[in-house]
Amino acid sequence: EPEVTQTPSHQVTQMGQEVILRCVPISNHLYFYWYRQILGQKVEFLVSFYNNEISEKSEIFDDQFSVERPDGSNFTLKIRSTKLEDSAMYFCASSSGTGTEKLFFGSGTQLSVL
Amino acid sequence: QKEVEQDPGPLSVPEGAIVSLNCTYSNSAFQYFMWYRQYSRKGPELLMYTYSSGNKEDGRFTAQVDKSSKYISLFIRDSQPSDSATYLCATYVTGGFKTIFGAGTRLFVKA
């Protein structure tokens, strides 16, 4: 069964460093998303991406964050200068159509900022 | 007022019990309602989605939406220990891209 793949599963970084989280969405999907979940809190929307541009972003997704689809298979989230409060589980998701009622999530990258 | 409210539990039931999980929402513009299951340290997995009001059944799972009271429910029949997980209700505004999740209810099914 096709699945969303995320690497690495764990990432430890120092405050102020740049990190890139990587995702391979399901191959025939067209819409791509990043969500995050701080320990013990809700899953929160960060950004959606379609046709090589951001379609919607949350107030969390400030200038420190960027997304890119560098080739036909990868989808990345970059945090330019990490803060302690960026520590969270980051989930990539994809969907096939315009309706976001059917999101397929990866297993996540646990980001720890020290 | 939070957009989606969900009792975090935990909810503990014996194997075979019928489980009822519930959420309320505030925005009348929400049209699609989803239930995701999340195992510890894993991504959410879609269980079911419904459009507008009504019931939808899939095996042991039934999703119910009452738009008049802004209330959504998930029923699990003949619950199994493997159903032990966190259940997240979710919704979004039609035409939007942002899924809004509830806090999740942690369910334990005891053998």
Side-chain angles (χ1 to χ4, degrees):
Chain A
E1 186 167 324
E3 59 180 16
V4 176
T5 306
Q6 289 187 245
T7 55
S9 55
H10 293 87
Q11 174 92 50
V12 181
T13 190
Q14 296 291 325
M15 192 170 55
Q17 294 297 302
E18 174 183 287
V19 294
I20 297 176
L21 309 183
R22 302 179 192 279
C23 171
V24 178
I26 293 173
S27 62
N28 62 346
H29 284 186
L30 301 175
Y31 297 80
F32 314 112
Y33 312 82
W34 286 99
Y35 285 77
R36 79 173 187 190
Q37 187 174 30
I38 295 170
L39 188 64
Q41 296 188 25
K42 289 185 180 186
V43 176
E44 300 177 287
F45 171 80
L46 291 178
V47 66
S48 59
F49 192 84
Y50 169 69
N51 200 26
N52 278 320
E53 60 183 26
I54 290 173
S55 45
E56 189 171 349
K57 61 182 181 179
S58 72
E59 59 277 3
I60 302 168
F61 194 88
D62 62 21
D63 292 345
Q64 293 301 310
F65 291 87
S66 63
V67 289
E68 191 179 31
R69 187 151 164 84
D71 52 43
S73 59
N74 291 282
F75 180 51
T76 62
L77 174 70
K78 182 194 290 187
I79 309 175
R80 267 180 265 282
S81 178
T82 50
K83 306 183 186 73
L84 295 176
E85 56 264 36
D86 294 328
S87 295
M89 181 74 97
Y90 287 81
F91 294 109
C92 174
S94 66
S95 66
S96 59
T98 54
T100 57
E101 68 273 15
K102 285 193 269 188
L103 295 180
F104 292 81
F105 283 84
S107 290
T109 294
Q110 178 63 56
L111 176 64
S112 298
V113 182
L114 306 178
Chain B
Q1 185 181 15
K2 293 180 183 176
E3 290 183 289
V4 180
E5 300 216 42
Q6 184 176 12
D7 185 339
L11 179 63
S12 184
V13 301
E15 183 176 357
I18 297 173
V19 175
S20 172
L21 304 167
N22 308 293
C23 289
T24 58
Y25 63 94
S26 58
N27 189 342
S28 300
F30 294 144
Q31 295 275 28
Y32 280 91
F33 303 93
M34 296 79 78
W35 284 96
Y36 286 84
R37 177 174 62 195
Q38 186 177 26
Y39 292 111
S40 183
R41 313 306 285 167
K42 296 291 185 186
E45 172 195 13
L46 180 67
L47 280 176
M48 300 179 70
Y49 69 92
T50 54
Y51 174 72
S52 194
S53 280
N55 291 2
K56 186 174 183 179
E57 190 174 316
D58 184 1
R60 295 185 295 110
F61 299 89
T62 300
Q64 197 171 76
V65 176
D66 181 348
K67 292 203 76 180
S68 62
S69 57
K70 299 190 177 72
Y71 198 81
I72 56 179
S73 302
L74 178 71
F75 299 97
I76 307 174
R77 289 182 297 282
D78 187 25
S79 55
Q80 303 295 309
S82 58
D83 295 328
S84 297
T86 297
Y87 289 80
L88 312 173
C89 60
T91 184
Y92 73 98
V93 176
T94 304
F97 296 92
K98 169 185 165 183
T99 297
I100 300 160
F101 287 88
T105 299
R106 198 150 180 213
L107 173 67
F108 295 96
V109 181
K110 299 172 291 185

